[in-house]
mmCIF file of all heavy atoms in Angstrom:
data_model
loop_
_atom_site.group_PDB
_atom_site.id
_atom_site.type_symbol
_atom_site.label_atom_id
_atom_site.label_comp_id
_atom_site.label_asym_id
_atom_site.label_seq_id
_atom_site.Cartn_x
_atom_site.Cartn_y
_atom_site.Cartn_z
ATOM 1 N N GLY A 133 141.014 32.608 85.370
ATOM 2 C CA GLY A 133 139.642 32.311 85.715
ATOM 3 C C GLY A 133 139.549 31.750 87.119
ATOM 4 O O GLY A 133 140.377 31.997 87.986
ATOM 5 N N ALA A 134 138.518 30.964 87.360
ATOM 6 C CA ALA A 134 138.318 30.386 88.686
ATOM 7 C C ALA A 134 139.415 29.405 89.028
ATOM 8 O O ALA A 134 139.688 29.132 90.186
ATOM 9 C CB ALA A 134 136.958 29.697 88.732
ATOM 10 N N GLY A 135 140.063 28.834 88.040
ATOM 11 C CA GLY A 135 141.143 27.888 88.277
ATOM 12 C C GLY A 135 141.540 27.226 86.984
ATOM 13 O O GLY A 135 140.736 27.079 86.088
ATOM 14 N N MET A 136 142.796 26.852 86.878
ATOM 15 C CA MET A 136 143.240 26.154 85.685
ATOM 16 C C MET A 136 142.888 24.690 85.832
ATOM 17 O O MET A 136 142.851 24.155 86.938
ATOM 18 C CB MET A 136 144.737 26.346 85.500
ATOM 19 C CG MET A 136 145.213 25.935 84.131
ATOM 20 S SD MET A 136 146.853 26.584 83.778
ATOM 21 C CE MET A 136 147.044 26.019 82.094
ATOM 22 N N HIS A 137 142.642 24.038 84.716
ATOM 23 C CA HIS A 137 142.152 22.669 84.769
ATOM 24 C C HIS A 137 143.088 21.724 84.047
ATOM 25 O O HIS A 137 143.595 22.035 82.977
ATOM 26 C CB HIS A 137 140.750 22.594 84.171
ATOM 27 C CG HIS A 137 139.805 23.552 84.806
ATOM 28 N ND1 HIS A 137 139.274 23.340 86.038
ATOM 29 C CD2 HIS A 137 139.356 24.760 84.390
ATOM 30 C CE1 HIS A 137 138.496 24.365 86.362
ATOM 31 N NE2 HIS A 137 138.531 25.233 85.385
ATOM 32 N N LYS A 138 143.334 20.581 84.645
ATOM 33 C CA LYS A 138 144.325 19.661 84.114
ATOM 34 C C LYS A 138 143.822 19.026 82.832
ATOM 35 O O LYS A 138 142.780 18.406 82.790
ATOM 36 C CB LYS A 138 144.655 18.585 85.146
ATOM 37 C CG LYS A 138 145.854 17.745 84.738
ATOM 38 C CD LYS A 138 146.410 17.003 85.931
ATOM 39 C CE LYS A 138 147.646 16.210 85.551
ATOM 40 N NZ LYS A 138 148.765 17.059 85.197
ATOM 41 N N CYS A 139 144.580 19.202 81.774
ATOM 42 C CA CYS A 139 144.231 18.627 80.478
ATOM 43 C C CYS A 139 145.491 18.616 79.635
ATOM 44 O O CYS A 139 145.827 19.617 79.020
ATOM 45 C CB CYS A 139 143.149 19.449 79.792
ATOM 46 S SG CYS A 139 142.729 18.852 78.160
ATOM 47 N N VAL A 140 146.225 17.530 79.625
ATOM 48 C CA VAL A 140 147.509 17.478 78.940
ATOM 49 C C VAL A 140 147.370 16.719 77.626
ATOM 50 O O VAL A 140 146.983 15.559 77.609
ATOM 51 C CB VAL A 140 148.568 16.798 79.829
ATOM 52 C CG1 VAL A 140 149.905 16.753 79.117
ATOM 53 C CG2 VAL A 140 148.694 17.546 81.155
ATOM 54 N N ASN A 141 147.667 17.442 76.524
ATOM 55 C CA ASN A 141 147.694 16.826 75.187
ATOM 56 C C ASN A 141 146.478 15.942 74.899
ATOM 57 O O ASN A 141 146.594 14.745 74.710
ATOM 58 C CB ASN A 141 148.968 15.989 75.029
ATOM 59 C CG ASN A 141 150.206 16.857 75.093
ATOM 60 O OD1 ASN A 141 150.124 18.040 75.376
ATOM 61 N ND2 ASN A 141 151.349 16.263 74.827
ATOM 62 N N PRO A 142 145.270 16.526 74.882
ATOM 63 C CA PRO A 142 144.080 15.699 74.701
ATOM 64 C C PRO A 142 143.965 15.071 73.324
ATOM 65 O O PRO A 142 143.215 14.108 73.158
ATOM 66 C CB PRO A 142 142.935 16.691 74.941
ATOM 67 C CG PRO A 142 143.514 18.016 74.634
ATOM 68 C CD PRO A 142 144.954 17.935 75.030
ATOM 69 N N ASP A 143 144.708 15.583 72.335
ATOM 70 C CA ASP A 143 144.588 15.048 70.985
ATOM 71 C C ASP A 143 145.579 13.934 70.685
ATOM 72 O O ASP A 143 145.357 13.109 69.827
ATOM 73 C CB ASP A 143 144.778 16.169 69.956
ATOM 74 C CG ASP A 143 143.587 17.114 69.936
ATOM 75 O OD1 ASP A 143 142.463 16.615 70.043
ATOM 76 O OD2 ASP A 143 143.790 18.328 69.817
ATOM 77 N N HIS A 144 146.722 13.937 71.396
ATOM 78 C CA HIS A 144 147.779 12.993 71.041
ATOM 79 C C HIS A 144 148.824 13.017 72.129
ATOM 80 O O HIS A 144 148.797 13.820 73.040
ATOM 81 C CB HIS A 144 148.423 13.377 69.711
ATOM 82 C CG HIS A 144 148.738 14.824 69.613
ATOM 83 N ND1 HIS A 144 149.777 15.414 70.307
ATOM 84 C CD2 HIS A 144 148.117 15.831 68.950
ATOM 85 C CE1 HIS A 144 149.799 16.706 70.051
ATOM 86 N NE2 HIS A 144 148.801 16.993 69.242
ATOM 87 N N GLY A 145 149.764 12.113 72.032
ATOM 88 C CA GLY A 145 150.891 12.149 72.964
ATOM 89 C C GLY A 145 150.547 11.543 74.309
ATOM 90 O O GLY A 145 149.659 10.717 74.442
ATOM 91 N N HIS A 146 151.272 11.986 75.355
ATOM 92 C CA HIS A 146 151.194 11.359 76.656
ATOM 93 C C HIS A 146 150.126 12.009 77.519
ATOM 94 O O HIS A 146 149.726 13.140 77.318
ATOM 95 C CB HIS A 146 152.557 11.434 77.346
ATOM 96 C CG HIS A 146 153.219 12.761 77.223
ATOM 97 N ND1 HIS A 146 153.696 13.246 76.031
ATOM 98 C CD2 HIS A 146 153.473 13.721 78.139
ATOM 99 C CE1 HIS A 146 154.237 14.433 76.205
ATOM 100 N NE2 HIS A 146 154.108 14.758 77.467
ATOM 101 N N ASP A 147 149.652 11.261 78.524
ATOM 102 C CA ASP A 147 148.698 11.742 79.505
ATOM 103 C C ASP A 147 147.440 12.311 78.858
ATOM 104 O O ASP A 147 147.065 13.467 79.050
ATOM 105 C CB ASP A 147 149.325 12.830 80.396
ATOM 106 C CG ASP A 147 150.444 12.273 81.246
ATOM 107 O OD1 ASP A 147 150.458 11.047 81.442
ATOM 108 O OD2 ASP A 147 151.288 13.052 81.700
ATOM 109 N N GLU A 148 146.756 11.514 78.080
ATOM 110 C CA GLU A 148 145.568 11.993 77.411
ATOM 111 C C GLU A 148 144.444 12.204 78.410
ATOM 112 O O GLU A 148 144.358 11.567 79.439
ATOM 113 C CB GLU A 148 145.122 10.995 76.329
ATOM 114 C CG GLU A 148 146.128 10.906 75.186
ATOM 115 C CD GLU A 148 145.603 10.120 74.015
ATOM 116 O OE1 GLU A 148 144.467 9.630 74.109
ATOM 117 O OE2 GLU A 148 146.322 9.995 73.020
ATOM 118 N N ALA A 149 143.542 13.121 78.085
ATOM 119 C CA ALA A 149 142.407 13.409 78.949
ATOM 120 C C ALA A 149 141.151 13.467 78.108
ATOM 121 O O ALA A 149 141.184 13.759 76.921
ATOM 122 C CB ALA A 149 142.616 14.743 79.667
ATOM 123 N N GLY A 150 140.021 13.211 78.717
ATOM 124 C CA GLY A 150 138.749 13.241 78.014
ATOM 125 C C GLY A 150 138.195 14.645 77.920
ATOM 126 O O GLY A 150 138.708 15.584 78.510
ATOM 127 N N ASP A 151 137.075 14.794 77.179
ATOM 128 C CA ASP A 151 136.480 16.108 76.974
ATOM 129 C C ASP A 151 136.119 16.792 78.275
ATOM 130 O O ASP A 151 136.332 17.976 78.450
ATOM 131 C CB ASP A 151 135.209 15.969 76.126
ATOM 132 C CG ASP A 151 135.520 15.642 74.688
ATOM 133 O OD1 ASP A 151 136.688 15.772 74.306
ATOM 134 O OD2 ASP A 151 134.595 15.250 73.965
ATOM 135 N N GLU A 152 135.534 16.018 79.218
ATOM 136 C CA GLU A 152 135.079 16.672 80.440
ATOM 137 C C GLU A 152 136.243 17.236 81.246
ATOM 138 O O GLU A 152 136.140 18.277 81.867
ATOM 139 C CB GLU A 152 134.232 15.729 81.287
ATOM 140 C CG GLU A 152 134.743 14.341 81.624
ATOM 141 C CD GLU A 152 134.899 13.362 80.484
ATOM 142 O OE1 GLU A 152 134.176 13.432 79.480
ATOM 143 O OE2 GLU A 152 135.772 12.494 80.631
ATOM 144 N N GLU A 153 137.433 16.594 81.188
ATOM 145 C CA GLU A 153 138.600 17.157 81.867
ATOM 146 C C GLU A 153 139.096 18.394 81.135
ATOM 147 O O GLU A 153 139.434 19.397 81.757
ATOM 148 C CB GLU A 153 139.730 16.125 81.938
ATOM 149 C CG GLU A 153 139.669 15.241 83.157
ATOM 150 C CD GLU A 153 140.974 14.509 83.335
ATOM 151 O OE1 GLU A 153 141.345 13.752 82.446
ATOM 152 O OE2 GLU A 153 141.615 14.701 84.384
ATOM 153 N N CYS A 154 139.132 18.324 79.811
ATOM 154 C CA CYS A 154 139.626 19.453 79.041
ATOM 155 C C CYS A 154 138.813 20.703 79.318
ATOM 156 O O CYS A 154 139.330 21.802 79.298
ATOM 157 C CB CYS A 154 139.544 19.161 77.548
ATOM 158 S SG CYS A 154 140.750 17.964 76.983
ATOM 159 N N GLU A 155 137.529 20.542 79.551
ATOM 160 C CA GLU A 155 136.662 21.694 79.667
ATOM 161 C C GLU A 155 136.391 22.054 81.115
ATOM 162 O O GLU A 155 135.478 22.811 81.420
ATOM 163 C CB GLU A 155 135.376 21.438 78.887
ATOM 164 C CG GLU A 155 135.692 21.256 77.408
ATOM 165 C CD GLU A 155 134.471 20.980 76.563
ATOM 166 O OE1 GLU A 155 133.349 21.233 77.034
ATOM 167 O OE2 GLU A 155 134.635 20.507 75.438
ATOM 168 N N GLY A 156 137.199 21.540 82.055
ATOM 169 C CA GLY A 156 137.157 22.115 83.377
ATOM 170 C C GLY A 156 136.751 21.223 84.515
ATOM 171 O O GLY A 156 135.917 21.607 85.325
ATOM 172 N N ALA A 157 137.340 20.050 84.642
ATOM 173 C CA ALA A 157 136.963 19.175 85.737
ATOM 174 C C ALA A 157 137.859 19.320 86.955
ATOM 175 O O ALA A 157 137.399 19.224 88.070
ATOM 176 C CB ALA A 157 136.970 17.720 85.266
ATOM 177 N N GLN A 158 139.145 19.546 86.763
ATOM 178 C CA GLN A 158 140.095 19.489 87.870
ATOM 179 C C GLN A 158 140.867 20.799 87.988
ATOM 180 O O GLN A 158 141.657 21.156 87.132
ATOM 181 C CB GLN A 158 141.080 18.326 87.661
ATOM 182 C CG GLN A 158 142.080 18.163 88.801
ATOM 183 C CD GLN A 158 143.027 17.024 88.519
ATOM 184 O OE1 GLN A 158 142.864 16.273 87.584
ATOM 185 N NE2 GLN A 158 144.053 16.900 89.349
#
Side-chain angles (χ1 to χ4, degrees):
M136 194 164 184
H137 306 284
K138 190 162 183 67
C139 177
V140 180
N141 296 7
D143 288 320
H144 46 73
H146 44 292
D147 294 339
E148 293 190 359
D151 288 347
E152 51 294 331
E153 272 194 299
C154 288
E155 298 179 17
Q158 182 181 352

